[in-house]
């Protein structure tokens, strides 16, 4: 059993937090992990990408080949589309529908969404709206992770929640509760 995940977004959106939580949960499940990250100009709104490989056997490489990603988790649609060629034929894309328009030549949102809809396993979620409706605007990455948990067959939802408690525990109970609530909201979104 293996799960290869590409996580993508723009600096400051919480992609590396998602990778940390999934990685911690995988370790708690007794699985092997390898991770590679690209930060680019992340502090200036540049792209952030992480390859996260999870397996019940040892992993040789930390990079996911084209056509090898089981899951792409993206905090914004153009970043999901950027890595679409890495998606396996039966892979999943889980992405926020909210664009992060930080460049003047950002493609038409409708064309990006239409191209993403060509993927048979797609979860497209308006994380900003869910966050605002539930006073969780700072936890939209956890809403997205909750939605992605449906495709993470090798990691139980309970282990993701435990991982959130471990990772955010030093920030206090309120932060942990907020992030667990965001995870649950994402998990229950259609």
């Amino acid at each position: 059993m293996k799960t290869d995940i590409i996580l993508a977004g723009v600096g400051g959106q919480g992609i590396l937090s998602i990778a940390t939580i999934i990685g911690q949960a995988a370790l708690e499940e007794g699985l092997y992990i390898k991770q590679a990250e690209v930060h680019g100009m992340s502090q200036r709104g540049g792209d952030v990408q992480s390859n996260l490989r999870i397996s019940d056997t040892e992993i040789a490489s930390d990079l996911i080949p084209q056509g090898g990603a089981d899951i792409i988790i993206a905090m914004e649609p153009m970043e999901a589309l950027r890595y679409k060629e890495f998606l396996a034929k039966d892979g999943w894309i889980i992405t926020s529908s909210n664009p992060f328009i930080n460049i003047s030549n950002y493609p038409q949102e409708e064309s990006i969404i239409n191209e993403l809809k060509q993927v048979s396993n797609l979860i497209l979620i308006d994380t900003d709206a869910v966050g605002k409706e539930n006073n969780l605007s700072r936890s939209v990455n956890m809403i997205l992770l909750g939605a992605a948990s449906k495709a993470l067959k090798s990691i139980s939802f309970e282990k993701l929640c435990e991982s959130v408690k471990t990772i955010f525990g030093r920030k206090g109970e309120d932060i942990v509760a907020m992030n667990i609530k965001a995870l649950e909201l994402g998990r229950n979104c259609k």
Side-chain angles (χ1 to χ4, degrees):
M1 180 265 341
K2 72 147 188 73
T3 305
D4 287 341
I5 305 166
I6 292 178
L7 299 110
V10 175
Q13 289 186 307
I15 280 296
L16 298 181
S17 293
I18 292 174
T20 301
I21 289 165
I22 294 171
Q24 175 70 31
L27 290 173
E28 290 295 322
E29 293 277 12
L31 301 170
Y32 293 91
I33 65 167
K34 286 246 184 196
Q35 183 178 2
E37 298 174 356
V38 176
H39 298 269
M41 294 291 289
S42 61
Q43 291 182 340
R44 297 182 187 237
D47 74 323
V48 176
Q49 181 261 344
S50 180
N51 281 225
L52 183 59
R53 305 188 82 187
I54 302 168
S55 179
D56 58 356
T57 59
E58 289 192 41
I59 305 163
S61 173
D62 54 358
L63 297 178
I64 299 169
Q66 281 188 347
D70 301 297
I71 303 170
I72 294 173
I73 301 171
M75 284 301 301
E76 77 97 44
M78 188 175 78
E79 291 300 323
L81 192 56
R82 179 190 310 254
Y83 295 99
K84 184 180 167 198
E85 66 190 39
F86 285 87
L87 191 65
K89 288 184 181 188
D90 59 345
W92 283 83
I93 292 181
I94 297 98
T95 184
S96 174
S97 61
N98 310 108
F100 186 89
I101 302 174
N102 61 344
I103 56 174
S104 59
N105 61 344
Y106 192 95
Q108 290 284 17
E109 293 172 48
E110 186 177 329
S111 65
I112 293 171
I113 299 301
N114 286 338
E115 192 160 341
L116 288 172
K117 286 183 176 178
Q118 294 175 16
V119 173
S120 57
N121 297 316
L122 174 68
I123 297 174
L124 187 65
I125 180 172
D126 187 340
T127 54
D128 287 355
V130 174
K132 285 177 187 170
E133 288 170 18
N134 294 281
N135 201 24
L136 295 168
S137 293
R138 295 183 54 143
S139 298
V140 293
N141 62 332
M142 293 299 105
I143 293 168
L144 188 66
L145 177 56
S149 70
K150 300 171 193 176
L152 286 168
K153 306 291 186 214
S154 57
I155 300 172
S156 71
F157 186 72
E158 292 73 26
K159 288 291 183 197
L160 287 174
C161 291
E162 288 176 27
S163 184
V164 166
K165 291 175 188 174
T166 300
I167 302 301
F168 291 115
R170 62 184 166 74
K171 294 185 177 188
E173 290 180 23
D174 290 344
I175 299 296
V176 168
M178 177 178 72
N179 284 293
I180 296 287
K181 181 179 178 185
L183 267 178
E184 291 169 346
L185 285 167
R187 175 108 175 151
N188 294 321
C189 283
K190 296 180 181 180

